[in-house]
Amino acid sequence: MSSARIELQPAWLLSQKPYRETSELLEVLTPQHGRVGLVARGLRGPRAKQRGVVSLFRPLLLSWLDKGELGTVTAVEAGGPEVQLVGERLFHGWYLNELLLKLLPRHDPHPALYAAYADSLQRLTGSALEAEAALRLFELHALEELGYGLPLTEAFDAAGHYRYLGEHGFVACAGGTRGALAGVSLNALRAGWLDSRAVLDDARRLLRAALEPQVPHASLRTPQLLREMRAFGSNKP
């Protein structure tokens, strides 16, 4: 099997799992190679020099020997400071990673999606509304990038309501109809300006429905973990 050496490729860590005694299996997102699976040897243990460098939400520079489905890390450097996510923002970051792991096959590069991910991480550090807007806009961008974009090319009647019917697009409906979305919310999503709770709620419902055929919501662990954390906090005396 032929192999290639990849040198100092920008990357974000999506997940890491223990492998054998001192190694780890990494899934990373890169601009030119897409999602890549790697074996990082000697990354765990008291003598591991790079264990503090390889972490979630820190830009990395990775070198590896590409030998098919799983490459072997040969060098790793920090590519910048870690994006500091705390509280619910940490769950938001985990959600982005989980979504990418489920949406992207390996070795399918999407440079624009890589850039959108980095931008979204920075936006997660803003207010609660700004962080939630970052999630919704990333979902929208991911759908567009992977060929499942929503039909948002034309403006909607701001006073009207619409249902999203998958391949049939948006259909006008009465305001009280099950699944109805406000036209003003759809216009806001189209413009990328999600600045109110009502708009964000409509965007969340729409994007969940649009993502469902690709990533069933029930298969996502992070939203469930966030709900459990919120429930635990609300039950404290």
Side-chain angles (χ1 to χ4, degrees):
M1 179 184 293
S2 62
S3 61
R5 289 191 176 275
I6 311 300
E7 300 291 341
L8 296 177
Q9 175 75 187
W12 292 95
L13 178 66
L14 298 179
S15 73
Q16 59 188 128
K17 297 178 181 178
Y19 179 66
R20 296 181 177 173
E21 292 186 1
T22 61
S23 301
E24 292 200 349
L25 293 176
L26 311 180
E27 291 287 342
V28 301
L29 181 68
T30 72
Q32 300 303 321
H33 300 270
R35 176 187 152 211
V36 180
L38 300 171
V39 176
R41 303 191 186 282
L43 198 60
R44 292 183 295 120
R47 297 183 180 180
K49 297 180 180 179
Q50 302 295 342
R51 61 178 175 176
V53 175
V54 179
S55 63
L56 296 175
F57 316 129
R58 169 179 287 157
L60 301 172
L61 295 172
L62 286 175
S63 299
W64 70 88
L65 185 63
D66 190 2
K67 298 181 67 174
E69 193 63 20
L70 281 177
T72 301
V73 174
T74 56
V76 57
E77 301 176 13
E82 180 180 348
V83 180
Q84 297 297 321
L85 300 179
V86 297
E88 292 198 2
R89 309 299 197 285
L90 187 58
F91 286 83
H92 294 338
W94 291 341
Y95 170 71
L96 293 183
N97 288 4
E98 186 179 14
L99 188 62
L100 286 171
L101 287 168
K102 290 183 178 295
L103 276 175
L104 293 177
R106 285 177 176 162
H107 310 296
D108 183 18
H110 291 275
L113 192 56
Y114 177 90
Y117 174 82
D119 180 65
S120 297
L121 286 183
Q122 295 296 335
R123 291 175 181 270
L124 290 182
T125 63
S127 69
L129 283 180
E130 289 169 338
E132 190 172 342
L135 294 182
R136 302 292 81 83
L137 292 174
F138 182 80
E139 291 169 336
L140 180 65
H141 190 99
L143 286 167
E144 292 173 348
E145 182 68 20
L146 298 175
Y148 308 112
L150 292 171
L152 297 170
T153 54
E154 297 183 3
F156 297 84
D157 178 2
H161 290 82
Y162 301 82
R163 290 181 64 201
Y164 174 65
L165 300 178
E167 62 183 22
H168 299 290
F170 295 99
V171 177
C173 67
T177 304
R178 181 179 176 84
L181 304 163
V184 66
S185 297
L186 295 175
N187 285 335
L189 184 61
R190 179 172 174 265
W193 191 253
L194 309 181
D195 60 350
S196 75
R197 171 50 52 195
V199 167
L200 281 168
D201 286 346
D202 276 351
R204 177 182 53 80
R205 292 191 295 115
L206 169 61
L207 287 160
R208 178 180 294 186
L211 281 165
E212 186 69 19
Q214 317 308 324
V215 182
H217 189 72
S219 73
L220 292 166
R221 180 61 179 147
T222 308
Q224 177 62 30
L225 288 173
L226 180 55
R227 287 192 294 270
E228 290 173 0
M229 187 200 73
R230 287 170 173 169
F232 177 77
S234 65
N235 291 331
K236 280 187 176 182

